[in-house]
């Protein structure tokens, strides 16, 4: 054994190896320390196989009828399978090969796109429809499209994430929107939601749904491809330079100051650690990978997907969710003034979660104006009526309406909300997540920060913890699961939770926080 190379080499040439059609050189290498392996170096045969793989991928795309009429036919097949109430019917009406081809073509389409899609509508576009969370409620998605109209040269539709989980038809919902995107790429914009991630899809049913409908072997392959598509979905879109659409909301820029240079004394208020980011920062950000975890390069993506508005002033950590930020109306106004934005549309919050936040407007109608400031408005739209599809106790069902928003010229920043009810009765379907799964949508106000200044000064915010009890089905759960926290992050939450309005933190501990964030 000399120079790290094998001492013995045997070579044979087999013109018929693996089907023949070319010359394959098979080299046997033997290490002096023992062990043998074969290395294949293909000439004509290898090139032919590579060409076959390339053509196979292209042919799978060609077999899909991606014209408008063909896609409408595929969606009709999907709807027919859903109406049967049999989960196995989907693989007959929409074979796994078609789903895989759709996902591969979508990944190829999304990968080169930037995190922020800049939209300057053509003169032919008369309206832009913005759709919030759909959460696998496929029949309600079709009902929404009947009301809003299909995407066309005159109508653009923006889907604001959370296509999967909790509902029984996440595959059908996501593939339907992908097919519309592939057939009408200029008329459909798809953004990412927090549920388009590995952790959420494992906890809230989508993973099990894919395996149930396509079998363990094919389903596992499809699920991996679904995750690849999730990871390349854009995070936000700016419509005609005045309206910003993103799933959860605003994001941090980092620390408001550099502690080493600007502290001035031994202490610094934790409330002043964060300031709002900029569109330039978002345009240059990472999309967070398959599972944005709120740390490192995934921080901005995690904030965009998980953050929530609040009636309190300032920007601070969203401790109830364990990830993302809470941002007040002053932060919204600062961002809008700096970026020239007049309307921010977000989704992310369900009506049952909003019901536990009485300082914000009610969301049972599928739409709310959360921040109404001088520069414009921040609104929430939720498009899954009668959500969630499954509840343990029917007495606790919210029976909310769904809604979508319509933007029209000339300013494209005055939303018209259209509400709709859920289609009843729903087709028979399975529940794919456990009833005791941690509730990522629970969003209780934080009792121990009652000293923060409320935006409504004549009605001070009262945070008596007893006013926000857990519902019976959730009483045994931690109401603020830290699903994405590393052990170090969990320790940070426990050690540095403020116990009154201004938490003084020593310079040493502040630097420790800085490293962890």
């Amino acid at each position: 054994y000399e120079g790290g190379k094998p001492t013995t080499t045997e070579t044979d040439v087999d013109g018929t190896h693996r089907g023949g059609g070319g010359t394959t050189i098979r080299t046997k290498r033997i290490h002096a320390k023992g062990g043998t392996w074969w290395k294949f170096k293909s000439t004509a045969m290898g090139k032919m196989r590579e060409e076959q793989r390339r053509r196979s991928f292209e042919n799978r795309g060609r077999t899909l009828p991606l014209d408008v009429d063909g896609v409408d036919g595929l969606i009709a097949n999907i709807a027919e399978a859903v109406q049967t109430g049999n989960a196995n019917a989907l693989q007959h009406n929409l074979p796994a090969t078609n789903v895989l081809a759709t996902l591969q073509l979508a990944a190829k389409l999304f990968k080169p796109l930037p995190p922020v899609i800049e939209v300057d509508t053509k003169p032919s576009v008369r309206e832009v429809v913005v759709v919030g969370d759909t959460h696998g409620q496929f029949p309600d998605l079709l009902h929404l499209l009947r009301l809003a109209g299909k995407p066309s040269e005159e109508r653009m539709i923006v889907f604001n994430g959370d296509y999967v989980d909790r509902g029984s038809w996440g595959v059908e919902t996501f593939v339907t929107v992908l097919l519309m995107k592939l057939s009408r790429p200029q008329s459909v914009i798809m953004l990412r939601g927090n549920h388009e991630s590995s952790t959420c899809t494992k906890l809230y049913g989508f993973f099990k749904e894919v395996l149930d409908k396509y079998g363990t072997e094919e389903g596992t392959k499809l699920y991996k491809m679904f995750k690849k598509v999730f990871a390349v979905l854009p995070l936000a879109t700016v419509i005609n330079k005045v309206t910003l659409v993103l799933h959860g909301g605003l994001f941090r820029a980092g620390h408001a100051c550099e502690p080493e240079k600007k502290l001035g004394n031994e202490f610094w208020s934790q409330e002043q650690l964060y300031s709002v980011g900029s569109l330039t920062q978002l345009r240059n950000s990472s999309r967070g990978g398959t599972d944005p975890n709120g740390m490192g390069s995934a921080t901005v993506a995690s904030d965009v997907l998980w953050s929530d508005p609040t009636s309190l002033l300032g920007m601070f950590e969203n401790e109830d969710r364990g990830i993302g930020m809470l941002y007040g109306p002053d932060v919204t106004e600062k961002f809008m003034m700096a970026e020239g934005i007049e309307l921010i549309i977000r989704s992310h919050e369900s009506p049952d979660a909003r019901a536990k936040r009485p300082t914000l407007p009610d969301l049972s109608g599928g739409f709310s104006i959360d921040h109404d400031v001088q520069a414009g408005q921040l609104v929430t739209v939720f498009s899954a009526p009668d959500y969630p599809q499954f509840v343990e106790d029917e007495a606790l069902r919210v029976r909310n309406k769904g809604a979508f928003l319509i933007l029209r010229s000339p300013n494209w920043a005055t939303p018209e909300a259209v509400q709709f009810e859920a289609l009843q009765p729903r087709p028979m379907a399975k529940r794919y997540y456990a009833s005791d799964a941690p509730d990522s949508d629970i969003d209780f106000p934080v009792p121990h920060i009652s000293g923060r200044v409320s935006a409504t000064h004549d009605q001070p915010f009262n945070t008596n913890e007893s006013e926000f009890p857990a519902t019976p089905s959730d009483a045994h759960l931690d109401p603020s699961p830290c699903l994405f926290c590393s052990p170090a992050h969990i320790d940070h939450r426990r050690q540095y939770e403020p116990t009154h309005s201004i938490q003084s933190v020593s310079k040493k501990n502040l630097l420790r926080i800085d490293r962890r964030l």
Side-chain angles (χ1 to χ4, degrees), residues 426-465:
R426 285 172 168 151
M428 294 291 293
K430 296 181 181 179
R431 177 176 182 162
Y432 291 107
Y433 66 100
S435 60
D436 60 349
D439 193 348
S440 68
D441 285 336
I442 287 181
D443 204 0
F444 290 105
V446 187
H448 57 253
I449 57 174
S450 57
R452 296 187 190 273
V453 181
S454 172
T456 308
H457 297 289
D458 57 340
Q459 295 180 351
F461 180 40
N462 180 8
T463 53
N464 183 352
E465 188 172 9

mmCIF file of all heavy atoms in Angstrom, residues 426-465:
data_model
loop_
_atom_site.group_PDB
_atom_site.id
_atom_site.type_symbol
_atom_site.label_atom_id
_atom_site.label_comp_id
_atom_site.label_asym_id
_atom_site.label_seq_id
_atom_site.Cartn_x
_atom_site.Cartn_y
_atom_site.Cartn_z
ATOM 1 N N ARG A 426 -69.489 17.933 5.230
ATOM 2 C CA ARG A 426 -68.194 17.625 4.638
ATOM 3 C C ARG A 426 -68.118 16.142 4.281
ATOM 4 O O ARG A 426 -68.747 15.304 4.935
ATOM 5 C CB ARG A 426 -67.070 17.963 5.620
ATOM 6 C CG ARG A 426 -66.812 19.461 5.727
ATOM 7 C CD ARG A 426 -65.848 19.774 6.828
ATOM 8 N NE ARG A 426 -65.385 21.160 6.739
ATOM 9 C CZ ARG A 426 -65.001 21.878 7.776
ATOM 10 N NH1 ARG A 426 -65.028 21.346 8.991
ATOM 11 N NH2 ARG A 426 -64.576 23.115 7.621
ATOM 12 N N PRO A 427 -67.326 15.797 3.254
ATOM 13 C CA PRO A 427 -67.147 14.373 2.927
ATOM 14 C C PRO A 427 -66.513 13.622 4.097
ATOM 15 O O PRO A 427 -65.834 14.214 4.951
ATOM 16 C CB PRO A 427 -66.202 14.408 1.721
ATOM 17 C CG PRO A 427 -66.349 15.780 1.148
ATOM 18 C CD PRO A 427 -66.622 16.681 2.307
ATOM 19 N N MET A 428 -66.746 12.338 4.147
ATOM 20 C CA MET A 428 -66.112 11.503 5.170
ATOM 21 C C MET A 428 -64.600 11.573 5.014
ATOM 22 O O MET A 428 -64.073 11.575 3.900
ATOM 23 C CB MET A 428 -66.578 10.056 5.027
ATOM 24 C CG MET A 428 -68.053 9.859 5.319
ATOM 25 S SD MET A 428 -68.443 10.103 7.074
ATOM 26 C CE MET A 428 -67.574 8.703 7.786
ATOM 27 N N ALA A 429 -63.901 11.643 6.130
ATOM 28 C CA ALA A 429 -62.447 11.761 6.072
ATOM 29 C C ALA A 429 -61.834 11.326 7.388
ATOM 30 O O ALA A 429 -62.505 11.273 8.424
ATOM 31 C CB ALA A 429 -62.042 13.201 5.748
ATOM 32 N N LYS A 430 -60.536 11.014 7.333
ATOM 33 C CA LYS A 430 -59.793 10.601 8.513
ATOM 34 C C LYS A 430 -59.126 11.808 9.169
ATOM 35 O O LYS A 430 -58.819 12.805 8.519
ATOM 36 C CB LYS A 430 -58.699 9.593 8.131
ATOM 37 C CG LYS A 430 -59.205 8.282 7.574
ATOM 38 C CD LYS A 430 -58.027 7.375 7.253
ATOM 39 C CE LYS A 430 -58.481 6.056 6.656
ATOM 40 N NZ LYS A 430 -57.329 5.187 6.329
ATOM 41 N N ARG A 431 -58.894 11.658 10.452
ATOM 42 C CA ARG A 431 -58.081 12.630 11.191
ATOM 43 C C ARG A 431 -56.672 12.069 11.291
ATOM 44 O O ARG A 431 -56.477 10.951 11.758
ATOM 45 C CB ARG A 431 -58.662 12.858 12.582
ATOM 46 C CG ARG A 431 -57.851 13.801 13.454
ATOM 47 C CD ARG A 431 -58.556 14.040 14.776
ATOM 48 N NE ARG A 431 -57.816 14.977 15.611
ATOM 49 C CZ ARG A 431 -58.359 15.621 16.634
ATOM 50 N NH1 ARG A 431 -59.625 15.411 16.944
ATOM 51 N NH2 ARG A 431 -57.643 16.455 17.347
ATOM 52 N N TYR A 432 -55.682 12.882 10.877
ATOM 53 C CA TYR A 432 -54.318 12.367 10.772
ATOM 54 C C TYR A 432 -53.381 12.846 11.878
ATOM 55 O O TYR A 432 -52.191 12.552 11.836
ATOM 56 C CB TYR A 432 -53.722 12.758 9.411
ATOM 57 C CG TYR A 432 -54.379 12.030 8.259
ATOM 58 C CD1 TYR A 432 -55.245 12.684 7.402
ATOM 59 C CD2 TYR A 432 -54.128 10.674 8.044
ATOM 60 C CE1 TYR A 432 -55.855 12.021 6.349
ATOM 61 C CE2 TYR A 432 -54.728 9.993 6.988
ATOM 62 C CZ TYR A 432 -55.590 10.675 6.147
ATOM 63 O OH TYR A 432 -56.192 10.014 5.105
ATOM 64 N N TYR A 433 -53.868 13.599 12.836
ATOM 65 C CA TYR A 433 -52.996 14.025 13.919
ATOM 66 C C TYR A 433 -53.658 13.699 15.246
ATOM 67 O O TYR A 433 -54.878 13.582 15.334
ATOM 68 C CB TYR A 433 -52.680 15.519 13.825
ATOM 69 C CG TYR A 433 -53.867 16.446 14.025
ATOM 70 C CD1 TYR A 433 -54.092 17.073 15.238
ATOM 71 C CD2 TYR A 433 -54.762 16.693 12.983
ATOM 72 C CE1 TYR A 433 -55.172 17.913 15.423
ATOM 73 C CE2 TYR A 433 -55.842 17.540 13.152
ATOM 74 C CZ TYR A 433 -56.040 18.148 14.371
ATOM 75 O OH TYR A 433 -57.113 18.978 14.554
ATOM 76 N N ALA A 434 -52.849 13.561 16.276
ATOM 77 C CA ALA A 434 -53.346 13.159 17.587
ATOM 78 C C ALA A 434 -54.124 14.301 18.228
ATOM 79 O O ALA A 434 -53.798 15.475 18.066
ATOM 80 C CB ALA A 434 -52.180 12.744 18.479
ATOM 81 N N SER A 435 -55.150 13.935 18.973
ATOM 82 C CA SER A 435 -55.965 14.958 19.635
ATOM 83 C C SER A 435 -55.180 15.704 20.701
ATOM 84 O O SER A 435 -55.534 16.833 21.055
ATOM 85 C CB SER A 435 -57.199 14.301 20.273
ATOM 86 O OG SER A 435 -56.801 13.331 21.230
ATOM 87 N N ASP A 436 -54.095 15.085 21.221
ATOM 88 C CA ASP A 436 -53.308 15.750 22.261
ATOM 89 C C ASP A 436 -52.042 16.378 21.701
ATOM 90 O O ASP A 436 -51.106 16.673 22.438
ATOM 91 C CB ASP A 436 -52.946 14.772 23.375
ATOM 92 C CG ASP A 436 -52.129 13.587 22.866
ATOM 93 O OD1 ASP A 436 -52.030 13.417 21.633
ATOM 94 O OD2 ASP A 436 -51.584 12.844 23.704
ATOM 95 N N ALA A 437 -51.991 16.599 20.372
ATOM 96 C CA ALA A 437 -50.828 17.269 19.789
ATOM 97 C C ALA A 437 -50.730 18.685 20.327
ATOM 98 O O ALA A 437 -51.744 19.360 20.501
ATOM 99 C CB ALA A 437 -50.946 17.299 18.260
ATOM 100 N N PRO A 438 -49.510 19.180 20.616
ATOM 101 C CA PRO A 438 -49.356 20.559 21.095
ATOM 102 C C PRO A 438 -49.990 21.535 20.118
ATOM 103 O O PRO A 438 -49.870 21.378 18.911
ATOM 104 C CB PRO A 438 -47.831 20.741 21.160
ATOM 105 C CG PRO A 438 -47.277 19.371 21.198
ATOM 106 C CD PRO A 438 -48.232 18.495 20.450
ATOM 107 N N ASP A 439 -50.668 22.528 20.643
ATOM 108 C CA ASP A 439 -51.413 23.460 19.796
ATOM 109 C C ASP A 439 -50.549 24.650 19.441
ATOM 110 O O ASP A 439 -50.349 25.550 20.239
ATOM 111 C CB ASP A 439 -52.679 23.921 20.526
ATOM 112 C CG ASP A 439 -53.642 24.628 19.576
ATOM 113 O OD1 ASP A 439 -53.222 24.951 18.460
ATOM 114 O OD2 ASP A 439 -54.801 24.820 19.962
ATOM 115 N N SER A 440 -50.016 24.661 18.224
ATOM 116 C CA SER A 440 -49.140 25.762 17.813
ATOM 117 C C SER A 440 -49.899 27.056 17.637
ATOM 118 O O SER A 440 -49.313 28.129 17.557
ATOM 119 C CB SER A 440 -48.448 25.417 16.493
ATOM 120 O OG SER A 440 -49.379 25.380 15.427
ATOM 121 N N ASP A 441 -51.225 26.993 17.536
ATOM 122 C CA ASP A 441 -52.008 28.204 17.330
ATOM 123 C C ASP A 441 -52.426 28.868 18.632
ATOM 124 O O ASP A 441 -52.962 29.964 18.621
ATOM 125 C CB ASP A 441 -53.274 27.890 16.521
ATOM 126 C CG ASP A 441 -52.951 27.667 15.063
ATOM 127 O OD1 ASP A 441 -51.912 28.185 14.629
ATOM 128 O OD2 ASP A 441 -53.714 26.976 14.378
ATOM 129 N N ILE A 442 -52.236 28.209 19.792
ATOM 130 C CA ILE A 442 -52.555 28.856 21.055
ATOM 131 C C ILE A 442 -51.649 30.065 21.225
ATOM 132 O O ILE A 442 -50.449 29.981 21.034
ATOM 133 C CB ILE A 442 -52.379 27.887 22.240
ATOM 134 C CG1 ILE A 442 -53.516 26.876 22.237
ATOM 135 C CG2 ILE A 442 -52.334 28.625 23.556
ATOM 136 C CD1 ILE A 442 -53.465 25.899 23.360
ATOM 137 N N ASP A 443 -52.205 31.168 21.560
ATOM 138 C CA ASP A 443 -51.433 32.401 21.584
ATOM 139 C C ASP A 443 -51.917 33.285 22.726
ATOM 140 O O ASP A 443 -52.454 34.352 22.517
ATOM 141 C CB ASP A 443 -51.593 33.115 20.240
ATOM 142 C CG ASP A 443 -50.426 34.044 19.954
ATOM 143 O OD1 ASP A 443 -49.513 34.133 20.778
ATOM 144 O OD2 ASP A 443 -50.450 34.682 18.910
ATOM 145 N N PHE A 444 -51.758 32.813 23.967
ATOM 146 C CA PHE A 444 -52.209 33.569 25.121
ATOM 147 C C PHE A 444 -51.385 34.838 25.292
ATOM 148 O O PHE A 444 -50.190 34.832 25.060
ATOM 149 C CB PHE A 444 -52.060 32.725 26.390
ATOM 150 C CG PHE A 444 -53.012 31.580 26.460
ATOM 151 C CD1 PHE A 444 -52.580 30.295 26.236
ATOM 152 C CD2 PHE A 444 -54.350 31.798 26.742
ATOM 153 C CE1 PHE A 444 -53.462 29.230 26.301
ATOM 154 C CE2 PHE A 444 -55.227 30.727 26.816
ATOM 155 C CZ PHE A 444 -54.781 29.445 26.587
ATOM 156 N N PRO A 445 -52.003 35.943 25.732
ATOM 157 C CA PRO A 445 -51.206 37.096 26.140
ATOM 158 C C PRO A 445 -50.288 36.700 27.296
ATOM 159 O O PRO A 445 -50.620 35.830 28.083
ATOM 160 C CB PRO A 445 -52.255 38.111 26.601
ATOM 161 C CG PRO A 445 -53.527 37.680 25.946
ATOM 162 C CD PRO A 445 -53.446 36.184 25.825
ATOM 163 N N VAL A 446 -49.146 37.335 27.382
ATOM 164 C CA VAL A 446 -48.168 36.970 28.390
ATOM 165 C C VAL A 446 -48.478 37.691 29.694
ATOM 166 O O VAL A 446 -48.369 38.899 29.773
ATOM 167 C CB VAL A 446 -46.745 37.346 27.915
ATOM 168 C CG1 VAL A 446 -45.714 36.799 28.884
ATOM 169 C CG2 VAL A 446 -46.516 36.778 26.526
ATOM 170 N N PRO A 447 -48.918 36.996 30.753
ATOM 171 C CA PRO A 447 -49.350 37.668 31.974
ATOM 172 C C PRO A 447 -48.261 38.487 32.646
ATOM 173 O O PRO A 447 -48.532 39.516 33.219
ATOM 174 C CB PRO A 447 -49.796 36.512 32.870
ATOM 175 C CG PRO A 447 -50.071 35.374 31.947
ATOM 176 C CD PRO A 447 -49.114 35.544 30.810
ATOM 177 N N HIS A 448 -46.982 38.033 32.552
ATOM 178 C CA HIS A 448 -45.971 38.689 33.355
ATOM 179 C C HIS A 448 -45.391 39.934 32.691
ATOM 180 O O HIS A 448 -44.408 40.480 33.166
ATOM 181 C CB HIS A 448 -44.849 37.707 33.690
ATOM 182 C CG HIS A 448 -44.206 37.086 32.488
ATOM 183 N ND1 HIS A 448 -44.428 35.777 32.141
ATOM 184 C CD2 HIS A 448 -43.377 37.595 31.552
ATOM 185 C CE1 HIS A 448 -43.735 35.482 31.051
ATOM 186 N NE2 HIS A 448 -43.096 36.565 30.676
ATOM 187 N N ILE A 449 -45.958 40.400 31.555
ATOM 188 C CA ILE A 449 -45.468 41.642 30.961
ATOM 189 C C ILE A 449 -46.566 42.687 30.972
ATOM 190 O O ILE A 449 -46.668 43.519 30.093
ATOM 191 C CB ILE A 449 -44.943 41.428 29.531
ATOM 192 C CG1 ILE A 449 -46.026 40.814 28.644
ATOM 193 C CG2 ILE A 449 -43.707 40.572 29.527
ATOM 194 C CD1 ILE A 449 -45.602 40.713 27.191
ATOM 195 N N SER A 450 -47.400 42.668 32.007
ATOM 196 C CA SER A 450 -48.535 43.573 32.056
ATOM 197 C C SER A 450 -48.119 45.021 32.156
ATOM 198 O O SER A 450 -48.915 45.913 31.926
ATOM 199 C CB SER A 450 -49.438 43.218 33.239
ATOM 200 O OG SER A 450 -48.700 43.263 34.441
ATOM 201 N N GLY A 451 -46.856 45.279 32.498
ATOM 202 C CA GLY A 451 -46.413 46.649 32.598
ATOM 203 C C GLY A 451 -46.127 47.296 31.261
ATOM 204 O O GLY A 451 -45.867 48.482 31.195
ATOM 205 N N ARG A 452 -46.149 46.536 30.169
ATOM 206 C CA ARG A 452 -45.905 47.131 28.854
ATOM 207 C C ARG A 452 -47.011 48.130 28.541
ATOM 208 O O ARG A 452 -48.145 47.967 28.945
ATOM 209 C CB ARG A 452 -45.864 46.050 27.758
ATOM 210 C CG ARG A 452 -44.708 45.074 27.914
ATOM 211 C CD ARG A 452 -44.663 44.165 26.695
ATOM 212 N NE ARG A 452 -43.746 43.059 26.879
ATOM 213 C CZ ARG A 452 -42.455 43.107 26.616
ATOM 214 N NH1 ARG A 452 -41.917 44.227 26.190
ATOM 215 N NH2 ARG A 452 -41.687 42.051 26.793
ATOM 216 N N VAL A 453 -46.654 49.131 27.743
ATOM 217 C CA VAL A 453 -47.608 50.181 27.417
ATOM 218 C C VAL A 453 -48.566 49.688 26.358
ATOM 219 O O VAL A 453 -48.157 49.167 25.326
ATOM 220 C CB VAL A 453 -46.866 51.433 26.911
ATOM 221 C CG1 VAL A 453 -47.855 52.539 26.604
ATOM 222 C CG2 VAL A 453 -45.850 51.893 27.955
ATOM 223 N N SER A 454 -49.851 49.804 26.588
ATOM 224 C CA SER A 454 -50.853 49.400 25.614
ATOM 225 C C SER A 454 -51.053 50.496 24.593
ATOM 226 O O SER A 454 -50.922 51.685 24.877
ATOM 227 C CB SER A 454 -52.183 49.107 26.304
ATOM 228 O OG SER A 454 -53.191 48.904 25.353
ATOM 229 N N ALA A 455 -51.391 50.090 23.352
ATOM 230 C CA ALA A 455 -51.649 51.068 22.314
ATOM 231 C C ALA A 455 -52.937 51.824 22.590
ATOM 232 O O ALA A 455 -53.139 52.923 22.111
ATOM 233 C CB ALA A 455 -51.727 50.383 20.953
ATOM 234 N N THR A 456 -53.856 51.215 23.351
ATOM 235 C CA THR A 456 -55.110 51.885 23.705
ATOM 236 C C THR A 456 -54.953 52.449 25.107
ATOM 237 O O THR A 456 -55.192 51.782 26.099
ATOM 238 C CB THR A 456 -56.284 50.884 23.660
ATOM 239 O OG1 THR A 456 -56.261 50.220 22.399
ATOM 240 C CG2 THR A 456 -57.604 51.585 23.825
ATOM 241 N N HIS A 457 -54.525 53.702 25.168
ATOM 242 C CA HIS A 457 -54.135 54.265 26.458
ATOM 243 C C HIS A 457 -55.333 54.482 27.388
ATOM 244 O O HIS A 457 -55.184 54.470 28.594
ATOM 245 C CB HIS A 457 -53.406 55.588 26.227
ATOM 246 C CG HIS A 457 -52.139 55.421 25.460
ATOM 247 N ND1 HIS A 457 -51.018 54.834 26.005
ATOM 248 C CD2 HIS A 457 -51.821 55.711 24.174
ATOM 249 C CE1 HIS A 457 -50.046 54.805 25.100
ATOM 250 N NE2 HIS A 457 -50.512 55.328 23.982
ATOM 251 N N ASP A 458 -56.523 54.659 26.809
ATOM 252 C CA ASP A 458 -57.678 54.869 27.674
ATOM 253 C C ASP A 458 -58.250 53.568 28.202
ATOM 254 O O ASP A 458 -59.113 53.560 29.055
ATOM 255 C CB ASP A 458 -58.770 55.652 26.926
ATOM 256 C CG ASP A 458 -59.199 54.942 25.655
ATOM 257 O OD1 ASP A 458 -58.419 54.100 25.175
ATOM 258 O OD2 ASP A 458 -60.302 55.226 25.153
ATOM 259 N N GLN A 459 -57.775 52.448 27.657
ATOM 260 C CA GLN A 459 -58.203 51.134 28.145
ATOM 261 C C GLN A 459 -56.950 50.314 28.423
ATOM 262 O O GLN A 459 -56.523 49.518 27.587
ATOM 263 C CB GLN A 459 -59.080 50.423 27.107
ATOM 264 C CG GLN A 459 -60.395 51.135 26.851
ATOM 265 C CD GLN A 459 -61.224 50.406 25.828
ATOM 266 O OE1 GLN A 459 -60.767 49.468 25.200
ATOM 267 N NE2 GLN A 459 -62.459 50.822 25.665
ATOM 268 N N PRO A 460 -56.320 50.497 29.555
ATOM 269 C CA PRO A 460 -55.078 49.794 29.845
ATOM 270 C C PRO A 460 -55.275 48.286 29.811
ATOM 271 O O PRO A 460 -56.319 47.776 30.187
ATOM 272 C CB PRO A 460 -54.696 50.285 31.248
ATOM 273 C CG PRO A 460 -55.974 50.791 31.830
ATOM 274 C CD PRO A 460 -56.773 51.329 30.681
ATOM 275 N N PHE A 461 -54.259 47.626 29.344
ATOM 276 C CA PHE A 461 -54.310 46.179 29.155
ATOM 277 C C PHE A 461 -54.194 45.461 30.492
ATOM 278 O O PHE A 461 -53.237 45.644 31.224
ATOM 279 C CB PHE A 461 -53.157 45.773 28.229
ATOM 280 C CG PHE A 461 -53.090 44.304 27.950
ATOM 281 C CD1 PHE A 461 -54.238 43.568 27.729
ATOM 282 C CD2 PHE A 461 -51.861 43.663 27.884
ATOM 283 C CE1 PHE A 461 -54.164 42.223 27.454
ATOM 284 C CE2 PHE A 461 -51.792 42.321 27.610
ATOM 285 C CZ PHE A 461 -52.935 41.597 27.389
ATOM 286 N N ASN A 462 -55.204 44.648 30.819
ATOM 287 C CA ASN A 462 -55.196 43.889 32.061
ATOM 288 C C ASN A 462 -54.831 42.450 31.750
ATOM 289 O O ASN A 462 -55.499 41.791 30.961
ATOM 290 C CB ASN A 462 -56.587 43.942 32.708
ATOM 291 C CG ASN A 462 -56.625 43.160 34.017
ATOM 292 O OD1 ASN A 462 -55.584 42.727 34.495
ATOM 293 N ND2 ASN A 462 -57.806 43.009 34.571
ATOM 294 N N THR A 463 -53.747 41.950 32.322
ATOM 295 C CA THR A 463 -53.283 40.606 32.004
ATOM 296 C C THR A 463 -53.387 39.693 33.210
ATOM 297 O O THR A 463 -52.428 39.089 33.656
ATOM 298 C CB THR A 463 -51.836 40.633 31.510
ATOM 299 O OG1 THR A 463 -51.048 41.332 32.469
ATOM 300 C CG2 THR A 463 -51.736 41.309 30.177
ATOM 301 N N ASN A 464 -54.552 39.610 33.772
ATOM 302 C CA ASN A 464 -54.792 38.653 34.841
ATOM 303 C C ASN A 464 -54.830 37.256 34.227
ATOM 304 O O ASN A 464 -55.675 36.946 33.398
ATOM 305 C CB ASN A 464 -56.127 38.974 35.516
ATOM 306 C CG ASN A 464 -56.394 38.043 36.688
ATOM 307 O OD1 ASN A 464 -55.655 37.074 36.900
ATOM 308 N ND2 ASN A 464 -57.437 38.346 37.434
ATOM 309 N N GLU A 465 -53.899 36.406 34.638
ATOM 310 C CA GLU A 465 -53.754 35.096 34.004
ATOM 311 C C GLU A 465 -55.025 34.269 34.115
ATOM 312 O O GLU A 465 -55.335 33.474 33.253
ATOM 313 C CB GLU A 465 -52.574 34.351 34.620
ATOM 314 C CG GLU A 465 -52.227 33.069 33.885
ATOM 315 C CD GLU A 465 -50.935 32.474 34.398
ATOM 316 O OE1 GLU A 465 -50.421 32.958 35.420
ATOM 317 O OE2 GLU A 465 -50.436 31.534 33.777
#
